[in-house]
Amino acid sequence: MDKKDLRIVFMGTPDFAVESLRQLVENGYQVAGVITMPDKPAGRGHKIQFSPVKEYALSQNLPLLQPEKLKSEDFLNALREWNADLQIVVAFRMLPEVVWNMPRLGTFNLHASLLPQYRGAAPINWAIINGDTETGTTTFFLTHEIDTGKVILQERIAITEDDNAGTIHDRLMVMGAQMVTKTVDCILDGTVTATAQSTMAEGLILKPAPKIFKDTCRIDWNQPARNIHNLVRGLSPYPAAWSELQACDGSLYPVKVFRTGCLSETTGGAAIGTIRCDGKRYIDVACADEWLRIETLQLAGRKRLNADELLRGFSLDGFCFTQK
């Protein structure tokens, strides 16, 4: 079968998924339909916002479904009418078996980790938070348990000291999109050799990638400086690590931290959360073992600024960071 004859249904929602859909469309694959999340209100005005995948699908005049419930008969009947040979999932929702088992060639997912490591909702964030030096993308066939199906293809990239969740997201988005088309080609020409994750997991201590919540993002200054540095990297630019500045009178000022630098300098016994600042250029914070330099931050209600920019209009005299 030629790729122009293979009927593909694509499922995804955020920007990360758009690049894969674009690669399919621009490389001549037949996208029979697109499924994305329902529209929802966003922002102060609660205006209805389309998902990035929906915006791209509309720009290409692709058939579109936005089901509230993936088991509803109306949705399942509409999906059957598309008569898909293959379904591709990139950053969507957990699918019921009646959906992923529908096409004759199955359903595969693109996951932003080196499975079986980092199964779950936030693999990019957790790989960096845990201080890993490499990550990658994996395509695998869907099965009953989330992120556990047989692996089709996998590729690796390095995580450098300068990387954060944003830079890794963008690199994996492009690499993953290319892997999606490679996976389709392998399925088309019958060269797929899917590998059970249980085999790949032998001898490994598996790390999970659960959803990121607000409390996950709160900085615990009792941790070593390197751990906090990795937390900041792993949550930047979104949703961002955060803490609270405390003034002499006890007033609290929420602050997001986007970039830090490790100084490898012991605190000399300074209390956890103590701020060392020259009032002009730098902001250092005492952690469990060493000072950590805050390079980019944002006070609530203000713009995101570099430390020197903030210090031009905000004095940190008498301030410290709450431990947690």
Side-chain angles (χ1 to χ4, degrees), residues 209-249:
K211 186 176 180 180
I212 301 289
F213 294 99
K214 183 176 180 180
D215 194 55
T216 313
C217 303
R218 185 163 190 174
I219 297 171
D220 181 1
W221 299 103
N222 291 285
Q223 292 291 313
R226 173 61 62 174
N227 289 6
I228 298 172
H229 176 65
N230 288 336
L231 178 74
V232 171
R233 294 168 60 221
L235 297 171
S236 181
Y238 181 83
W242 66 279
S243 186
E244 290 178 318
L245 284 167
Q246 183 171 1
C248 296
D249 62 3

Side-chain angles (χ1 to χ4, degrees), residues 5-291:
D5 300 320
L6 182 76
R7 293 181 61 81
I8 295 171
V9 167
F10 184 89
M11 305 181 189
T13 296
D15 286 321
F16 189 87
V18 173
E19 185 62 26
S20 292
L21 179 56
R22 180 182 292 112
Q23 288 282 343
L24 290 168
V25 171
E26 293 182 356
N27 284 284
Y29 296 87
Q30 182 187 176
V31 179
V34 174
I35 300 171
T36 191
M37 293 285 284
D39 303 333
K40 59 182 180 180
R44 293 182 180 179
H46 297 285
K47 294 182 179 179
I48 296 299
Q49 183 175 345
F50 294 170
S51 75
V53 163
K54 178 176 179 176
E55 290 181 351
Y56 181 77
L58 291 175
S59 75
Q60 300 299 310
N61 296 313
L62 297 173
L64 185 70
L65 290 174
Q66 295 180 267
E68 291 282 353
K69 297 180 180 179
L70 297 177
K71 291 184 179 181
S72 74
E73 282 304 315
D74 287 345
F75 166 65
L76 293 176
N77 288 333
L79 183 57
R80 289 188 187 101
E81 288 179 3
W82 281 349
N83 194 30
D85 297 302
L86 177 69
Q87 291 177 160
I88 300 172
V89 181
V90 182
F92 189 52
R93 298 156 62 181
M94 186 173 178
L95 302 181
E97 182 176 2
V98 67
V99 173
W100 58 257
N101 202 30
M102 190 178 294
R104 65 181 183 85
L105 294 176
T107 300
F108 77 81
N109 179 267
L110 172 69
H111 191 71
S113 83
L114 297 171
L115 289 174
Q117 293 289 12
Y118 297 111
R119 295 167 176 157
I124 294 173
N125 305 95
W126 285 107
I128 300 172
I129 290 170
N130 288 335
D132 289 4
T133 57
E134 71 171 5
T135 185
T137 52
T138 304
T139 54
F140 66 98
F141 286 115
L142 289 191
T143 187
H144 291 91
E145 298 297 325
I146 188 167
D147 297 337
T148 60
K150 290 185 176 180
V151 168
I152 307 168
L153 296 176
Q154 190 169 87
E155 293 184 16
R156 300 168 181 266
I157 62 167
I159 302 174
T160 71
E161 276 293 313
D162 294 328
D163 279 318
N164 61 23
T167 60
I168 293 297
H169 170 280
D170 292 350
R171 287 162 63 194
L172 293 185
M173 178 176 67
V174 175
M175 186 174 82
Q178 295 168 349
M179 183 180 287
V180 164
T181 59
K182 290 179 185 176
T183 301
V184 175
D185 291 342
C186 288
I187 292 172
L188 267 174
D189 60 26
T191 59
V192 168
T193 305
T195 304
Q197 289 191 40
S198 57
T199 301
M200 301 171 70
E202 292 178 3
L204 295 178
I205 298 175
L206 298 185
K207 305 172 188 177
K211 186 176 180 180
I212 301 289
F213 294 99
K214 183 176 180 180
D215 194 55
T216 313
C217 303
R218 185 163 190 174
I219 297 171
D220 181 1
W221 299 103
N222 291 285
Q223 292 291 313
R226 173 61 62 174
N227 289 6
I228 298 172
H229 176 65
N230 288 336
L231 178 74
V232 171
R233 294 168 60 221
L235 297 171
S236 181
Y238 181 83
W242 66 279
S243 186
E244 290 178 318
L245 284 167
Q246 183 171 1
C248 296
D249 62 3
S251 300
L252 296 176
Y253 297 81
V255 57
K256 291 182 177 181
V257 180
F258 295 94
R259 192 172 75 243
T260 55
C262 290
L263 300 177
S264 300
E265 178 187 350
T266 59
T267 62
I272 301 294
T274 296
I275 293 175
R276 183 178 69 176
C277 175
D278 67 350
K280 295 180 180 180
R281 295 178 293 110
Y282 64 82
I283 303 169
D284 299 339
V285 187
C287 305
D289 55 350
E290 298 174 342
W291 294 100

